[in-house]
Amino acid sequence: MMLKFLRLLKILRVSVRYGLDEIAISGLRKPRITKLIDTVFFWRDLSAPRGERLRMALEELGPIFVKFGQVLSTRSDLIPPDLQIELARLQDRVPPFDSDLAIAQIRKSLGAHPDQLFATFERTPVASASIAQVHFATLKDGRQVAVKVLRPGMKKTIDDDVALMHVAAEWIGNLWADSKRLKPKEVVAEFDKYLHDELDLMREAANASQLRRNFADSHLLLVPEMHWDYCSNSVIVMERMYGIPVSQIDRLEAAGVDLKKLSSDGVEIFFTQVFRDGFFHADMHPGNILVSVEPETFGRYIALDFGIVGTLNDFDKDYLSQNFLAFFRRDYKRVAEAHIESGWAPKETRVDELEAAVRACCEPIFDRPLKDISFGQILLRLFQTSRRFNVEVQPQLVLLQKTLLNIEGLGRQLDPDLDLWKTAKPYLENWMAEQVGIKGFMQRLKAEAPRYAHIFPQLPRLVHQALERQADKPADNAELIKVLIHEQQRTNRLLSAVIYFAGAFALGVAGLQLYLRYHQLG
């Protein structure tokens, strides 16, 4: 309890020093408090911009608060642009922990000393972050690996700091006039879940395995293989990857890497993850990306650190496809309708007003050279518009926005003339054509066929049983019987249509094959 109290005192001291209370002053429900605060802390120097002061305060409070700022920086639907820009500059500046502690963690998790598990183990870590650090090692069979070890005592540290954040969120909810929209309690709860997910390294290993499987046949992206016999919740061992950090442009050029191709490949990788797989690496900043210069994999991206991934379900994909399709056609009314139909904009929202706001965000890009268009800036403006209309931005789409901003920034660093719009548009158009066209229909029909094949034969029996159960009360259930009969007739018609369609399709294919064979023989 004493340690928590001392930690709270430190948080209050840092908050006062950097004037974090001033950031909330404009939204306080009780203006008199603001005058009292200014009078009591008259000695402070608050000349620096508020975003810069917030960033420095979080850095001084330590890794957990830095991570909270990093997560908050992605919520452009919640915070003003000046704060978001500064929070995006937060970096984990955490010294490595003692190698003896890492060895103890490995021994506890894997049941043996690293000298017994590995042929070699480098005691000096090669990378260190707030949650874990990495050591290089060699397996007994000679394979080079990277060993990621969870920082000891992290769970208790996280639990203590997040508990204080929950208390602060409660205070903000009671004092801040804008708290209903900003949802401080929900934001802290989301961060709590995010941090505890990162504490489970097996989850990260599973994410990496899924991404590796998705790109098994790709010539664009490499993902390290996990060695499952050496993985646990607090230690994971993966294939060691060799490459040049993507941010080291001079080294990439000296190695002969085509930066323009590398830039466009990054865009293709991102959209493939999002629209083909619905599973994407959501932490693609330069520190997590290498470029291979090995002869057999030259120029391919190498992804690292899979603690944060985003997923999209069919509903999300359908929402995105409708918005992108309407966007390409400059049909802003459809964009507005899609937001309201999805429930993310309040039902009472006027379509014409939301349409006008979206038009103001998007229309300017059609009157400028393509290379001057920034998808990231468009998304930022759309998220800012969402605040005005109380649109609930879904967490998975916020991760998507964050990742797209990372990709665009990285791409422009590699190729200043990168046109994300021009690069992405053909890919998106092809994907949407597959989704809404006959090809998409056939794929969905094929995917659902096993389920329907199981259900259709049972329908007559199920309907008959339902009718028998209601036989004792024919007068009371006449309407239900009519509905059941009507549904049975609809089912029969649908089944007949499917059978006829499949038969016609099979006959057409057979006829085409006979025609081609006849001409080949001729």
Side-chain angles (χ1 to χ4, degrees):
M1 180 61 70
M2 178 59 68
L3 290 177
K4 287 185 179 180
F5 179 71
L6 292 176
R7 180 62 169 161
L8 180 59
L9 285 181
K10 180 180 179 180
I11 294 171
L12 293 174
R13 177 179 61 80
V14 172
S15 299
V16 169
R17 177 184 172 189
Y18 290 100
L20 301 191
D21 50 275
E22 187 219 22
I23 296 176
I25 279 177
S26 60
L28 286 177
R29 291 192 176 119
K30 300 176 181 179
R32 292 180 182 177
I33 296 178
T34 65
K35 295 181 180 180
L36 177 61
I37 291 174
D38 288 339
T39 302
V40 173
F41 302 117
F42 65 92
W43 46 267
R44 298 181 299 180
D45 179 12
L46 303 182
S47 58
R50 62 177 188 170
E52 182 180 337
R53 287 187 277 114
L54 175 60
R55 174 177 57 80
M56 291 190 298
L58 294 177
E59 287 176 341
E60 185 169 329
L61 288 172
I64 306 306
F65 284 83
V66 167
K67 276 202 168 291
F68 181 67
Q70 289 173 335
V71 171
L72 200 59
S73 72
T74 68
R75 299 305 303 265
S76 52
D77 57 317
L78 298 181
I79 62 174
D82 63 322
L83 298 184
Q84 183 194 13
I85 291 171
E86 280 295 331
L87 291 179
R89 294 174 180 167
L90 285 168
Q91 297 181 8
D92 287 335
R93 298 184 177 91
V94 183
F97 56 88
D98 191 275
S99 297
D100 290 336
L101 293 176
I103 290 172
Q105 185 77 282
I106 294 171
R107 191 169 188 169
K108 178 182 178 182
S109 299
L110 302 183
H113 193 280
D115 292 343
Q116 296 174 289
L117 294 169
F118 308 107
T120 64
F121 178 82
E122 297 182 12
R123 293 177 63 91
T124 303
V126 294
S128 178
S130 57
I131 297 295
Q133 69 184 29
V134 178
H135 297 256
F136 286 151
T138 307
L139 295 180
K140 297 287 188 179
D141 60 9
R143 287 179 291 175
Q144 302 292 311
V145 295
V147 184
K148 188 168 185 177
V149 185
L150 191 70
R151 190 174 286 269
M154 280 306 299
K155 186 176 187 307
K156 184 178 186 307
T157 302
I158 287 174
D159 287 343
D160 290 345
D161 278 353
V162 172
L164 295 176
M165 289 182 182
H166 280 292
V167 173
E170 185 77 31
W171 289 350
I172 291 172
N174 293 331
L175 293 173
W176 211 350
D178 208 19
S179 61
K180 183 177 181 180
R181 181 183 64 80
L182 296 181
K183 302 178 181 177
K185 295 180 185 177
E186 288 82 352
V187 170
V188 172
E190 180 184 326
F191 176 65
D192 192 352
K193 178 181 180 301
Y194 155 80
L195 268 185
H196 281 87
D197 284 349
E198 272 207 297
L199 285 177
D200 184 357
L201 295 187
M202 281 294 282
R203 180 187 293 267
E204 177 178 344
N207 291 340
S209 182
Q210 178 69 55
L211 192 63
R212 177 182 171 86
R213 186 161 57 251
N214 291 346
F215 281 83
D217 300 323
S218 170
H219 297 289
L220 299 175
L221 180 67
L222 299 172
V223 178
E225 179 185 3
M226 292 291 151
H227 297 287
W228 292 106
D229 291 340
Y230 302 90
C231 290
S232 70
N233 290 341
S234 55
V235 177
I236 57 175
V237 177
M238 69 194 82
E239 174 188 4
R240 180 175 174 178
M241 308 301 287
Y242 296 88
I244 299 174
V246 73
S247 58
Q248 298 183 11
I249 306 298
D250 293 341
R251 288 185 61 191
L252 292 174
E253 289 180 329
V257 176
D258 185 343
L259 297 185
K260 288 185 179 293
K261 182 179 184 302
L262 194 65
S263 178
S264 61
D265 285 351
V267 176
E268 184 175 346
I269 289 169
F270 170 73
F271 283 101
T272 299
Q273 291 181 67
V274 170
F275 289 100
R276 186 194 70 183
D277 305 328
F279 184 90
F280 59 94
H281 191 308
D283 198 18
M284 295 184 71
H285 62 75
N288 289 338
I289 303 174
L290 306 177
V291 179
S292 175
V293 290
E294 299 293 315
E296 63 275 12
T297 57
F298 187 82
R300 294 191 202 178
Y301 280 94
I302 300 171
L304 303 173
D305 196 345
F306 310 92
I308 308 174
V309 297
T311 57
L312 299 173
N313 57 30
D314 290 339
F315 179 83
D316 297 326
K317 288 183 178 181
D318 181 63
Y319 163 81
L320 289 172
S321 67
Q322 287 189 50
N323 276 275
F324 274 121
L325 193 60
F327 179 69
F328 290 150
R329 295 172 177 171
R330 300 169 81 164
D331 184 357
Y332 305 116
K333 182 178 181 181
R334 182 59 199 143
V335 174
E337 290 173 342
H339 277 73
I340 297 172
E341 290 170 3
S342 68
W344 295 343
K347 291 183 179 180
E348 62 272 14
T349 302
R350 287 187 52 173
V351 173
D352 59 334
E353 291 183 356
L354 184 55
E355 175 191 357
V358 174
R359 181 183 295 109
C361 290
C362 301
E363 188 65 19
I365 74 164
F366 291 102
D367 298 323
R368 299 168 59 191
L370 287 175
K371 71 181 184 67
D372 293 338
I373 295 169
S374 168
F375 250 5
Q377 290 303 315
I378 293 168
L379 280 173
L380 284 176
R381 293 185 64 185
L382 285 172
F383 275 94
Q384 290 163 12
T385 299
S386 73
R387 293 206 300 267
R388 174 185 163 195
F389 288 92
N390 296 317
V391 174
E392 289 192 20
V393 181
Q394 306 302 300
Q396 67 274 23
L397 297 186
V398 173
L399 274 179
L400 187 70
Q401 175 232 5
K402 167 185 177 283
T403 308
L404 184 55
L405 286 173
N406 285 340
I407 290 294
E408 184 177 48
L410 176 62
R412 290 187 188 278
Q413 185 180 5
L414 295 171
D415 176 14
D417 293 325
L418 171 71
D419 179 0
L420 184 61
W421 168 262
K422 187 176 181 180
T423 305
K425 185 180 177 184
Y427 187 89
L428 292 173
E429 287 179 327
N430 291 336
W431 179 84
M432 284 187 290
E434 291 178 356
Q435 294 301 303
V436 300
I438 185 64
K439 185 176 179 179
F441 171 76
M442 293 302 296
Q443 288 177 343
R444 287 190 293 274
L445 188 63
K446 182 178 178 181
E448 295 291 340
R451 182 184 302 175
Y452 291 140
H454 176 71
I455 292 175
F456 281 149
Q458 301 181 58
L459 284 176
R461 175 175 55 82
L462 294 174
V463 171
H464 183 263
Q465 290 175 352
L467 292 173
E468 279 189 333
R469 285 195 296 270
Q470 301 300 327
D472 294 335
K473 296 183 284 184
D476 296 337
N477 294 282
E479 190 63 31
L480 176 61
I481 293 174
K482 289 181 182 179
V483 172
L484 288 171
I485 293 174
H486 176 69
E487 289 300 317
Q488 175 64 24
Q489 291 172 341
R490 280 185 66 238
T491 301
N492 290 340
R493 288 196 297 270
L494 177 61
L495 184 59
S496 299
V498 171
I499 293 172
Y500 288 142
F501 178 81
F505 183 75
L507 288 173
V509 172
L512 179 61
Q513 290 179 339
L514 289 173
Y515 175 79
L516 294 174
R517 183 174 297 179
Y518 173 78
H519 278 272
Q520 287 174 350
L521 293 174

